[in-house]
Amino acid sequence: MPAHAATLARLGTLWLSVDQPSRGLDYARKAVVLCPEEWHHHRLLAECLRYHTQCLLLREFLTTLFQAGAPASAEADLQVLLCQALWGMRATPGYADGAATLVMSVLEREEGHWEGLLMYATIALERGLVEDCLKVSLRLVTQRQHDDGVRALLAKCMQSLKGVELVLSMLGESSASAAALAFLATCVKEHSAIEVAVTLYKKAVALLPGSASYSLNLIHTLELQQRLDEALTVAADFMAVCPATMRLGGGSSFKDIRSMLMDVPHREGLVSSVWLHHVEQTAAELKPQPPLPKVTYNSEELDSLALLFTTVKILYVGGALSTAAALAEIVRPAAAASQQELHKTLVRNEAAYFGCVWQLLHQPYTPSPALQCDSPSVKAAVAQAKQAVHAVQAVHAVQAVQAVQAVRALRASEEPGRVASSPTADLESVPVSPHALSLTECSASAAAACRWGGALPPPLFLCGDSHCLSGAWRHVTLRGQTRLLWPLLVTGCKVWHLRPDSDFYPKAQFESTVGQLPHGSQVVMLLGEIDCREGLLLAVQKCKYDSLEQGIDAAVSIYVEVLLGLARTRGFEIFVHPPAPVLRETRHIVIPFQAALKERIQSLSRADQQPPLPHAALSGDDRQEDQRCETGAGKIHYLSFFDDLLVTSPLTASQILTGTGLQNLAQGNPQLRPDLEFDGTHMAPTYIGLLNSVLCAVV
């Protein structure tokens, strides 16, 4: 233990900053003893006592300080600390009123005291004084725009309709208010006030419809509730009014893109296959484009590009694959023309998603959601469809029409009562006159024929971060039945975001997504890689955990509790997908994370398979575990194919000399299989063969 007051105080501050006041308390006390004349040491001790909920001790400590003559500059700060402690224990009779009285006395003497005002607004909201809370919160957030506490309070305040109406009445209807509305929307979105954020962004867009930034942010916020249809409408509306200074591939314009988006049918709900059956009419007319001249995009043009990137992603995630492919071909030349490296700009996330989706839409990775069926008539229909494609390529309209007619006849002969009601009835609407059939219409007919193979397989939902894109719209087999992997993208979601006390928006998106699935759904859950990439090591470095193992254990516990909750309350059968070991730099974290996750899930399964003990024979912990097994654990399976994703390669001489890779030496320097390499972040869709193997083995 150091005997230097300043060092002790810094150590106490360090532990306090990582939410471990009990570990900082002893350092603060020793700093006060060694250097009692330093008032910031006393404040540190008071803060540790306040966070440590030692309210009575804090009151006694502050009383002694005031009697000893605390400086006037410190008195208000210390009183607010006591007020915060009292409010934190407001369930105790008298403490809430004591906190309210104390904060009012502080503000009477120092009306601009920032922490005092924040405490006042907090108490006001609790007591139903929404207008008072809102006015104070708006004042505070303009002074400290990045303060998380006031942003969280503002989000709570605006959850009610009254809060939103008050803000709109304060800011007015002028275009100058758009920036303020968008800023407030960003603040409240971060703390999961999603519906409020949508309302504010919509108002900002209405005031400045040509702003790519406001439209882009509205689209991203709608994504948090999986409102992909509305997001597409926002994109189309922007295309109608944007300045259109950007050159696009093939000489296309923003209005051309708007027309393309307007043709996409309305999509009702999260589990709607209507986009899967939509065929983009202009797809056949797209040809490889020469590169555009290099250009330095301004911020508004970058936002426009990001909006286009996001639109492609939304189309892909929603199943409008042909439209996504067509739009990607238009957008890619504009992206390639950027003088700036897009991964170094503020639109890097959108650019990364676009790059991934663009690759997924091209051979050899192009997904095909049509049912793989052994029916002779379906095989014949596919053969005829291939003839139609060949005829289109050869510009033989008559042969294309004949092929399409043959497909229709086969379909009608097998299921005569189903033709009109089939979800793929777009085939019937295609004209068949060789004189009226253009090249584009031939292509649409052929594409529609290729899509027909009976009804789509039932979905097996693939829910997770961006790694779910690799498996999207692929076929797997579960218990002998062909299933379609249906992506449920929860952007940037970490397991850590799902902890009970979190209010960060990825948690809101996750809860909204799983909340829209039918009861009893089967879901492949794919989370954890971002924790390994961005969260766990940083948390250890910041002293949140004493070791990486402790951090992994905490994250896995959160994950398992979430899965058990979904199995219990929603009846989900959950298949836990291992995190993707793509990045060399974090593979040494992914390996122990997946091992801990696998062991925890499999231990639940083992416990569930054992015959139940008499209730009286169980200890308290055992009763709780037994109850979990009865109410959820039996519906959770670990998909054990992680080891098959890796190959072991010896360390090179360079790695040995530089130390690179030595941290993985104990595991034999495992590397991602070369055939699974894709874009540097995600696995190639070819890994689905491994996933399918373990799903086939599920009983």
Side-chain angles (χ1 to χ4, degrees):
M1 175 75 70
H4 186 269
T7 302
L8 289 164
R10 289 191 180 98
L11 287 169
T13 302
L14 170 68
W15 289 117
L16 186 64
S17 69
V18 294
D19 297 327
Q20 298 199 47
S22 60
R23 299 179 75 166
L25 190 57
D26 194 40
Y27 292 112
R29 281 176 171 150
K30 291 182 181 296
V32 168
V33 170
L34 285 173
C35 199
E37 67 276 8
E38 291 290 343
W39 282 101
H40 67 273
H41 295 170
H42 292 280
R43 178 186 173 91
L44 173 62
L45 177 54
E47 288 185 353
C48 288
L49 288 169
R50 191 264 292 187
Y51 279 101
H52 206 46
T53 64
Q54 297 190 17
C55 189
L56 295 177
L57 187 58
L58 175 60
R59 176 182 283 179
E60 181 181 344
F61 170 69
L62 294 179
T63 301
T64 304
L65 277 181
F66 298 147
Q67 290 173 350
S73 59
E75 186 172 345
D77 292 346
L78 296 172
Q79 285 183 327
V80 170
L81 284 176
L82 178 56
C83 175
Q84 292 168 340
L86 290 168
W87 185 252
M89 301 178 67
R90 60 189 176 278
T92 304
Y95 277 33
D97 290 340
T101 301
L102 189 55
V103 77
M104 291 305 298
S105 69
V106 169
L107 294 176
E108 285 173 3
R109 297 192 310 274
E110 194 176 335
E111 64 178 17
H113 193 281
W114 201 90
E115 286 81 7
L117 285 169
L118 182 60
M119 194 67 244
Y120 169 81
T122 301
I123 296 173
L125 180 61
E126 180 88 2
R127 298 187 169 186
L129 304 175
V130 177
E131 187 169 358
D132 283 3
C133 176
L134 183 60
K135 288 179 178 178
V136 174
S137 299
L138 290 173
R139 174 182 171 183
L140 295 176
V141 80
T142 57
Q143 295 173 8
R144 300 185 189 178
Q145 295 185 6
H146 301 291
D147 186 90
D148 198 57
V150 71
R151 283 178 172 236
L153 180 62
L154 189 61
K156 290 179 183 177
C157 183
M158 294 186 63
Q159 288 281 18
S160 68
L161 178 61
K162 183 178 180 181
V164 176
E165 290 175 346
L166 285 169
V167 166
L168 294 178
S169 64
M170 289 177 188
L171 295 178
E173 296 287 333
S174 69
S175 58
S177 301
L181 289 165
F183 169 72
L184 292 176
T186 301
C187 290
V188 301
K189 182 189 82 170
E190 289 178 354
H191 294 277
S192 295
I194 307 303
E195 199 58 52
V196 175
V198 168
T199 300
L200 296 177
Y201 277 132
K202 280 184 175 180
K203 189 66 175 177
V205 169
L207 293 173
L208 281 179
S211 169
S213 174
Y214 298 161
S215 292
L216 175 62
N217 277 285
L218 174 55
I219 288 171
H220 282 323
T221 309
L222 289 168
E223 285 184 279
L224 298 180
Q225 296 181 328
Q226 301 293 352
R227 294 156 67 176
L228 304 186
D229 196 79
E230 290 182 60
L232 212 60
T233 300
V234 173
D237 290 344
F238 172 76
M239 303 299 167
V241 298
C242 68
T245 57
M246 185 185 302
R247 292 184 62 183
L248 301 169
S252 299
S253 67
F254 280 90
K255 289 187 177 179
D256 294 331
I257 296 176
R258 182 178 187 274
S259 177
M260 182 186 299
L261 298 182
M262 294 298 289
D263 285 340
V264 177
H266 180 62
R267 182 176 185 265
E268 285 286 354
L270 180 64
V271 190
S272 169
S273 62
V274 65
W275 284 10
L276 282 167
H277 303 295
H278 175 67
V279 178
E280 173 51 45
Q281 296 283 327
T282 62
E285 298 174 357
L286 296 173
K287 299 176 181 178
Q289 303 297 325
L292 296 173
K294 291 290 184 179
V295 60
T296 300
Y297 292 123
N298 60 35
S299 60
E300 189 67 17
E301 289 170 330
L302 283 173
D303 284 336
S304 297
L305 198 57
L307 190 148
L308 292 170
F309 291 159
T310 303
T311 304
V312 172
K313 177 191 72 175
I314 287 171
L315 289 166
Y316 181 82
V317 171
L321 303 181
S322 66
T323 307
L327 181 55
E329 291 302 319
I330 293 173
V331 173
R332 192 163 187 265
S338 174
Q339 194 74 49
Q340 309 103 305
E341 295 180 82
L342 293 176
H343 70 276
K344 295 181 179 179
T345 68
L346 293 177
V347 302
R348 56 186 174 274
N349 290 337
E350 290 88 353
Y353 267 111
F354 175 76
C356 177
V357 170
W358 189 86
Q359 284 185 255
L360 291 170
L361 286 166
H362 287 77
Q363 293 296 342
Y365 303 120
T366 309
S368 175
L371 176 63
Q372 304 302 306
C373 180
D374 292 331
S375 164
S377 61
V378 171
K379 286 184 176 180
V382 172
Q384 292 287 353
K386 288 180 179 178
Q387 292 181 24
V389 173
H390 177 76
V392 168
Q393 292 171 342
V395 200
H396 294 156
V398 174
Q399 291 92 325
V401 170
Q402 291 172 346
V404 172
Q405 287 175 328
V407 173
R408 293 181 184 177
L410 282 167
R411 184 179 179 194
S413 64
E414 179 163 318
E415 296 181 280
R418 183 180 167 181
V419 173
S421 60
S422 168
T424 51
D426 55 346
L427 185 60
E428 270 57 54
S429 65
V430 177
V432 294
S433 166
H435 302 291
L437 199 62
S438 68
L439 177 62
T440 299
E441 289 165 339
C442 282
S443 178
S445 300
C450 286
R451 284 184 184 276
W452 176 66
L456 288 173
L460 176 60
F461 298 107
L462 180 58
C463 179
D465 55 32
S466 61
H467 290 284
C468 75
L469 297 180
S470 295
W473 311 120
R474 318 281 163 172
H475 294 92
V476 292
T477 301
L478 177 62
R479 298 186 179 110
Q481 183 182 35
T482 300
R483 305 294 291 274
L484 181 64
L485 287 174
W486 194 293
L488 302 173
L489 175 62
V490 185
T491 303
C493 187
K494 298 178 185 176
V495 169
W496 176 248
H497 295 150
L498 305 181
R499 67 193 188 280
D501 60 343
S502 171
D503 66 353
F504 196 35
Y505 65 83
K507 180 180 179 181
Q509 184 177 21
F510 178 84
E511 291 179 343
S512 175
T513 300
V514 298
Q516 294 179 58
L517 295 180
H519 188 89
S521 293
Q522 293 173 308
V523 185
V524 176
M525 202 66 72
L526 175 50
L527 294 171
E529 189 276 329
I530 303 180
D531 295 84
C532 297
R533 187 198 328 160
E534 299 179 357
L536 288 169
L537 200 57
L538 189 62
V540 174
Q541 291 170 349
K542 290 183 174 181
C543 301
K544 182 74 176 177
Y545 303 110
D546 291 337
S547 65
L548 180 61
E549 291 74 21
Q550 189 183 77
I552 288 173
D553 183 68
V556 168
S557 295
I558 293 168
Y559 198 2
V560 171
E561 285 302 314
V562 169
L563 299 179
L564 284 168
L566 291 173
R568 284 194 298 260
T569 63
R570 301 297 315 285
F572 287 177
E573 182 176 16
I574 299 172
F575 304 88
V576 182
H577 191 300
V582 177
L583 297 178
R584 175 180 57 82
E585 294 80 2
T586 58
R587 198 172 294 129
H588 68 286
I589 303 174
V590 174
I591 289 171
F593 180 93
Q594 83 83 29
L597 178 61
K598 176 181 178 180
E599 172 56 30
R600 192 75 63 87
I601 297 298
Q602 291 184 339
S603 68
L604 291 175
S605 299
R606 287 194 297 269
D608 184 69
Q609 291 167 5
Q610 304 207 345
L613 293 171
H615 191 71
L618 298 174
S619 67
D621 291 341
D622 289 337
R623 282 195 199 103
Q624 184 179 10
E625 185 64 32
D626 190 64
Q627 185 180 14
R628 285 180 181 175
C629 294
E630 290 177 0
T631 58
K635 295 183 177 180
I636 303 176
H637 317 272
Y638 191 80
L639 301 175
S640 186
F641 64 97
F642 182 82
D643 292 344
D644 297 328
L645 302 173
L646 300 170
V647 292
T648 301
S649 60
L651 293 176
T652 65
S654 173
Q655 287 176 315
I656 294 172
L657 290 173
T658 62
T660 304
L662 290 180
Q663 58 193 347
N664 289 332
L665 187 58
Q667 291 89 13
N669 193 34
Q671 306 291 324
L672 184 70
R673 279 173 39 173
D675 59 314
L676 301 183
E677 293 177 356
F678 186 57
D679 62 354
T681 302
H682 307 93
M683 293 189 293
T686 48
Y687 96 89
I688 295 301
L690 299 172
L691 172 63
N692 186 56
S693 296
V694 293
L695 286 171
C696 286
V698 173
V699 295

